[in-house]
Amino acid sequence: MTDPDLTEPTAARLVEGYRKGEFSPEEATRAVLERAERIQPEVNAFVRLLPEQALEQARESTERWRRGEPRGLVDGVPTTVKDIILLRGAPTLRGSRTISEKGRWDEDAPSVARLREHGAVFVGKTTTPEFGWKGVTDSPLSGVTRNPHDPSRTAGGSSGGAAAAVALGAGPLALGTDGGGSVRIPAAFCGVFALKPTYGRVPLYPASAFGTLAHVGPMTRDAADAALLLDVIGTPDSRDWSALGPAPGSFSAGLAGGVRGLRVAYSPTLGGQVAVRPAVAAAVRRGVERLAELGAYVTESDPDFADPVDAFHTLWFSGAARVTSQLGARQRESLDPGLREICATGARFSALDYLAAVDVRMELGRRMGRFHESYDLLVTPTLPITAFEAGAEVPKGSGHRRWTGWTPFTYPFNMTQQPAATLPVGTDADGLPIGLQLVAARHRDDLVLRAAHALYEAGVSGGGS
């Protein structure tokens, strides 16, 4: 039996172990594949595992390390890819029965291409709701993905399989996507780290039907691994005309600056707009107090905006209508009923409706730009609740109609394209994780990662990284 401890190290620790000859990429990959196969029946984190491909990649990496010639920063590190993102050699079905497995599947998305250049080992494709449309992970194609801390609860979404895989040791690095909270929501529910980078920092291809709401982001055990992954994937790609230029420096190298002197605004309820469960509020407040102890100047202050949910719905539902616009009547019948419903709503919006929502978005961005003239970071709960019953879009008895009803802290920052991360800061009475969200001005991903790393180093998330 492969040493099960090799499912526990971070990516950075694996690379260190490869360099020192303590263990090999092949040994680590076998351990991760065994763990993935073991958790799959209960948690359902994967659409498909790729053991033959992964082991071949791991053997090649092992030989490179033996020669002292690693290919890149994550050579030999087991990695998962959300089944929204193209991975050469595996179908990308996007949680939908309307996409055929037949085809060449011979192209990598930009983030996957960069990982392949750096020698990553791809162990499998992780689950998503159909076309990534909602904040929980269940689909007509692959069923329900469950929470690693309590399988009766949801893992969140739409990158729920990725979050569950990281939490359970089925690969320390994961690629997710986030159009309204889709890396942060499941990371918060599953107790792992996730970053939605500044829009354009990680190139996206093919372009999302949800437009510039959609981001690709790292999902990892801690902030240090996320910085490492962002150093790999955060480089330009000619296929994305909206991608940013090269980052000004290494995100990993910038982690050590700490938070001393940073101006931090703590908004526990977005100005009374969000009802937050007491256990969540208390855990997040303790995290904020730790930032103050580490030298940050913390002020309780709310950003000046009203809930932009109606404008978000216009943008989001229109995108859903667009992504399904070429489907025939029989294919539409096979869609997730909730998706079918929002597509019908989205199809009724006019161009003027859409542009009015863009106006709301632009004003929100202006307000947050002004806010960050006074504050380096904004801290909120990631979510006002902990994980609820699996297979439901909204908590039973909540009165919410759509998933956006319980995610008011996440989607505004897709609209503004700001970097936003979540890290675990405790659990509730049922042992379910609680997330703290860090938000910075556009292009200041380094500050988000630095502050998160400081909290990890201070033991807020269960110990140093």
Side-chain angles (χ1 to χ4, degrees), residues 67-90:
R67 297 195 308 265
E69 299 173 353
R71 180 181 290 173
L73 296 177
V74 293
D75 200 341
V77 177
T79 303
T80 65
V81 178
K82 183 180 180 180
D83 200 37
I84 291 285
I85 302 171
L86 293 178
L87 172 66
R88 191 175 76 222

mmCIF file of all heavy atoms in Angstrom, residues 67-90:
data_model
loop_
_atom_site.group_PDB
_atom_site.id
_atom_site.type_symbol
_atom_site.label_atom_id
_atom_site.label_comp_id
_atom_site.label_asym_id
_atom_site.label_seq_id
_atom_site.Cartn_x
_atom_site.Cartn_y
_atom_site.Cartn_z
ATOM 1 N N ARG A 67 17.051 13.151 -12.533
ATOM 2 C CA ARG A 67 18.158 13.786 -13.259
ATOM 3 C C ARG A 67 18.484 15.174 -12.722
ATOM 4 O O ARG A 67 19.455 15.802 -13.172
ATOM 5 C CB ARG A 67 17.812 13.921 -14.746
ATOM 6 C CG ARG A 67 17.606 12.605 -15.484
ATOM 7 C CD ARG A 67 17.627 12.825 -17.001
ATOM 8 N NE ARG A 67 16.718 13.877 -17.428
ATOM 9 C CZ ARG A 67 15.477 13.681 -17.865
ATOM 10 N NH1 ARG A 67 14.985 12.427 -17.905
ATOM 11 N NH2 ARG A 67 14.709 14.679 -18.252
ATOM 12 N N GLY A 68 17.660 15.677 -11.795
ATOM 13 C CA GLY A 68 17.853 17.036 -11.311
ATOM 14 C C GLY A 68 17.444 18.087 -12.309
ATOM 15 O O GLY A 68 17.979 19.203 -12.312
ATOM 16 N N GLU A 69 16.437 17.751 -13.158
ATOM 17 C CA GLU A 69 16.008 18.661 -14.222
ATOM 18 C C GLU A 69 14.483 18.825 -14.212
ATOM 19 O O GLU A 69 13.790 18.485 -15.177
ATOM 20 C CB GLU A 69 16.451 18.121 -15.587
ATOM 21 C CG GLU A 69 17.964 17.974 -15.725
ATOM 22 C CD GLU A 69 18.359 17.293 -17.020
ATOM 23 O OE1 GLU A 69 17.445 16.808 -17.743
ATOM 24 O OE2 GLU A 69 19.559 17.228 -17.313
ATOM 25 N N PRO A 70 13.927 19.325 -13.113
ATOM 26 C CA PRO A 70 12.469 19.520 -13.092
ATOM 27 C C PRO A 70 12.052 20.514 -14.168
ATOM 28 O O PRO A 70 12.787 21.449 -14.493
ATOM 29 C CB PRO A 70 12.201 20.063 -11.690
ATOM 30 C CG PRO A 70 13.499 20.665 -11.259
ATOM 31 C CD PRO A 70 14.568 19.803 -11.872
ATOM 32 N N ARG A 71 10.837 20.299 -14.676
ATOM 33 C CA ARG A 71 10.350 21.111 -15.791
ATOM 34 C C ARG A 71 9.890 22.490 -15.339
ATOM 35 O O ARG A 71 9.955 23.464 -16.091
ATOM 36 C CB ARG A 71 9.210 20.379 -16.485
ATOM 37 C CG ARG A 71 8.619 21.134 -17.675
ATOM 38 C CD ARG A 71 7.481 20.355 -18.307
ATOM 39 N NE ARG A 71 7.970 19.156 -18.993
ATOM 40 C CZ ARG A 71 7.179 18.227 -19.513
ATOM 41 N NH1 ARG A 71 5.861 18.334 -19.367
ATOM 42 N NH2 ARG A 71 7.674 17.185 -20.136
ATOM 43 N N GLY A 72 9.378 22.594 -14.102
ATOM 44 C CA GLY A 72 8.827 23.868 -13.671
ATOM 45 C C GLY A 72 8.497 23.873 -12.196
ATOM 46 O O GLY A 72 8.940 23.002 -11.430
ATOM 47 N N LEU A 73 7.665 24.832 -11.796
ATOM 48 C CA LEU A 73 7.404 25.076 -10.382
ATOM 49 C C LEU A 73 6.579 23.983 -9.709
ATOM 50 O O LEU A 73 6.653 23.825 -8.492
ATOM 51 C CB LEU A 73 6.672 26.414 -10.218
ATOM 52 C CG LEU A 73 7.437 27.667 -10.651
ATOM 53 C CD1 LEU A 73 6.548 28.904 -10.503
ATOM 54 C CD2 LEU A 73 8.702 27.832 -9.810
ATOM 55 N N VAL A 74 5.773 23.254 -10.469
ATOM 56 C CA VAL A 74 4.887 22.249 -9.869
ATOM 57 C C VAL A 74 5.098 20.887 -10.521
ATOM 58 O O VAL A 74 4.168 20.074 -10.604
ATOM 59 C CB VAL A 74 3.404 22.680 -9.946
ATOM 60 C CG1 VAL A 74 3.158 23.890 -9.068
ATOM 61 C CG2 VAL A 74 2.986 22.971 -11.392
ATOM 62 N N ASP A 75 6.307 20.621 -10.956
ATOM 63 C CA ASP A 75 6.586 19.352 -11.634
ATOM 64 C C ASP A 75 6.257 18.184 -10.708
ATOM 65 O O ASP A 75 6.782 18.082 -9.594
ATOM 66 C CB ASP A 75 8.064 19.296 -12.040
ATOM 67 C CG ASP A 75 8.328 18.276 -13.143
ATOM 68 O OD1 ASP A 75 7.490 17.376 -13.342
ATOM 69 O OD2 ASP A 75 9.381 18.379 -13.795
ATOM 70 N N GLY A 76 5.345 17.320 -11.174
ATOM 71 C CA GLY A 76 4.979 16.127 -10.419
ATOM 72 C C GLY A 76 3.889 16.312 -9.392
ATOM 73 O O GLY A 76 3.546 15.362 -8.671
ATOM 74 N N VAL A 77 3.290 17.492 -9.300
ATOM 75 C CA VAL A 77 2.259 17.727 -8.285
ATOM 76 C C VAL A 77 0.890 17.291 -8.807
ATOM 77 O O VAL A 77 0.430 17.782 -9.847
ATOM 78 C CB VAL A 77 2.207 19.209 -7.882
ATOM 79 C CG1 VAL A 77 1.070 19.446 -6.878
ATOM 80 C CG2 VAL A 77 3.542 19.644 -7.281
ATOM 81 N N PRO A 78 0.190 16.382 -8.117
ATOM 82 C CA PRO A 78 -1.152 15.954 -8.539
ATOM 83 C C PRO A 78 -2.135 17.122 -8.522
ATOM 84 O O PRO A 78 -2.233 17.862 -7.532
ATOM 85 C CB PRO A 78 -1.525 14.895 -7.502
ATOM 86 C CG PRO A 78 -0.211 14.389 -6.994
ATOM 87 C CD PRO A 78 0.680 15.588 -6.973
ATOM 88 N N THR A 79 -2.859 17.278 -9.623
ATOM 89 C CA THR A 79 -3.708 18.445 -9.842
ATOM 90 C C THR A 79 -5.034 17.996 -10.445
ATOM 91 O O THR A 79 -5.071 17.069 -11.251
ATOM 92 C CB THR A 79 -3.010 19.422 -10.820
ATOM 93 O OG1 THR A 79 -1.727 19.779 -10.279
ATOM 94 C CG2 THR A 79 -3.829 20.676 -11.053
ATOM 95 N N THR A 80 -6.117 18.663 -10.045
ATOM 96 C CA THR A 80 -7.421 18.367 -10.632
ATOM 97 C C THR A 80 -7.920 19.574 -11.415
ATOM 98 O O THR A 80 -7.530 20.714 -11.152
ATOM 99 C CB THR A 80 -8.460 17.979 -9.563
ATOM 100 O OG1 THR A 80 -8.705 19.100 -8.700
ATOM 101 C CG2 THR A 80 -7.984 16.790 -8.749
ATOM 102 N N VAL A 81 -8.821 19.315 -12.362
ATOM 103 C CA VAL A 81 -9.340 20.347 -13.260
ATOM 104 C C VAL A 81 -10.855 20.253 -13.271
ATOM 105 O O VAL A 81 -11.415 19.189 -13.560
ATOM 106 C CB VAL A 81 -8.779 20.165 -14.684
ATOM 107 C CG1 VAL A 81 -9.355 21.215 -15.631
ATOM 108 C CG2 VAL A 81 -7.252 20.227 -14.687
ATOM 109 N N LYS A 82 -11.517 21.347 -12.958
ATOM 110 C CA LYS A 82 -12.982 21.390 -13.005
ATOM 111 C C LYS A 82 -13.461 21.081 -14.417
ATOM 112 O O LYS A 82 -12.872 21.546 -15.394
ATOM 113 C CB LYS A 82 -13.457 22.770 -12.562
ATOM 114 C CG LYS A 82 -14.969 22.937 -12.505
ATOM 115 C CD LYS A 82 -15.316 24.353 -12.061
ATOM 116 C CE LYS A 82 -16.811 24.572 -11.998
ATOM 117 N NZ LYS A 82 -17.139 25.956 -11.564
ATOM 118 N N ASP A 83 -14.544 20.349 -14.527
ATOM 119 C CA ASP A 83 -15.024 19.905 -15.829
ATOM 120 C C ASP A 83 -15.784 20.994 -16.594
ATOM 121 O O ASP A 83 -16.712 20.711 -17.346
ATOM 122 C CB ASP A 83 -15.898 18.651 -15.675
ATOM 123 C CG ASP A 83 -16.013 17.869 -16.980
ATOM 124 O OD1 ASP A 83 -15.021 17.814 -17.715
ATOM 125 O OD2 ASP A 83 -17.109 17.343 -17.263
ATOM 126 N N ILE A 84 -15.351 22.231 -16.391
ATOM 127 C CA ILE A 84 -15.734 23.366 -17.233
ATOM 128 C C ILE A 84 -14.536 23.751 -18.103
ATOM 129 O O ILE A 84 -14.686 24.398 -19.130
ATOM 130 C CB ILE A 84 -16.138 24.564 -16.343
ATOM 131 C CG1 ILE A 84 -17.451 24.288 -15.619
ATOM 132 C CG2 ILE A 84 -16.220 25.851 -17.129
ATOM 133 C CD1 ILE A 84 -18.695 24.384 -16.461
ATOM 134 N N ILE A 85 -13.336 23.333 -17.672
ATOM 135 C CA ILE A 85 -12.069 23.795 -18.239
ATOM 136 C C ILE A 85 -11.483 22.711 -19.137
ATOM 137 O O ILE A 85 -11.401 21.537 -18.736
ATOM 138 C CB ILE A 85 -11.081 24.138 -17.101
ATOM 139 C CG1 ILE A 85 -11.679 25.213 -16.188
ATOM 140 C CG2 ILE A 85 -9.742 24.594 -17.656
ATOM 141 C CD1 ILE A 85 -10.878 25.451 -14.912
ATOM 142 N N LEU A 86 -11.059 23.082 -20.329
ATOM 143 C CA LEU A 86 -10.527 22.109 -21.285
ATOM 144 C C LEU A 86 -9.244 21.464 -20.786
ATOM 145 O O LEU A 86 -8.307 22.132 -20.351
ATOM 146 C CB LEU A 86 -10.240 22.786 -22.624
ATOM 147 C CG LEU A 86 -11.432 23.299 -23.431
ATOM 148 C CD1 LEU A 86 -10.945 23.978 -24.701
ATOM 149 C CD2 LEU A 86 -12.400 22.171 -23.761
ATOM 150 N N LEU A 87 -9.199 20.123 -20.874
ATOM 151 C CA LEU A 87 -8.020 19.329 -20.544
ATOM 152 C C LEU A 87 -7.797 18.354 -21.689
ATOM 153 O O LEU A 87 -8.640 17.487 -21.948
ATOM 154 C CB LEU A 87 -8.218 18.573 -19.231
ATOM 155 C CG LEU A 87 -7.142 17.553 -18.852
ATOM 156 C CD1 LEU A 87 -5.808 18.238 -18.577
ATOM 157 C CD2 LEU A 87 -7.583 16.749 -17.623
ATOM 158 N N ARG A 88 -6.693 18.505 -22.382
ATOM 159 C CA ARG A 88 -6.397 17.657 -23.529
ATOM 160 C C ARG A 88 -6.430 16.178 -23.144
ATOM 161 O O ARG A 88 -5.867 15.774 -22.135
ATOM 162 C CB ARG A 88 -5.009 18.016 -24.077
ATOM 163 C CG ARG A 88 -4.696 17.404 -25.418
ATOM 164 C CD ARG A 88 -3.362 17.905 -25.936
ATOM 165 N NE ARG A 88 -2.249 17.268 -25.255
ATOM 166 C CZ ARG A 88 -1.149 17.894 -24.849
ATOM 167 N NH1 ARG A 88 -1.037 19.211 -25.004
ATOM 168 N NH2 ARG A 88 -0.167 17.223 -24.278
ATOM 169 N N GLY A 89 -7.132 15.385 -23.951
ATOM 170 C CA GLY A 89 -7.194 13.954 -23.720
ATOM 171 C C GLY A 89 -8.368 13.497 -22.885
ATOM 172 O O GLY A 89 -8.533 12.296 -22.655
ATOM 173 N N ALA A 90 -9.212 14.442 -22.432
ATOM 174 C CA ALA A 90 -10.384 14.083 -21.629
ATOM 175 C C ALA A 90 -11.557 14.949 -22.063
ATOM 176 O O ALA A 90 -11.393 16.150 -22.269
ATOM 177 C CB ALA A 90 -10.109 14.284 -20.139
#
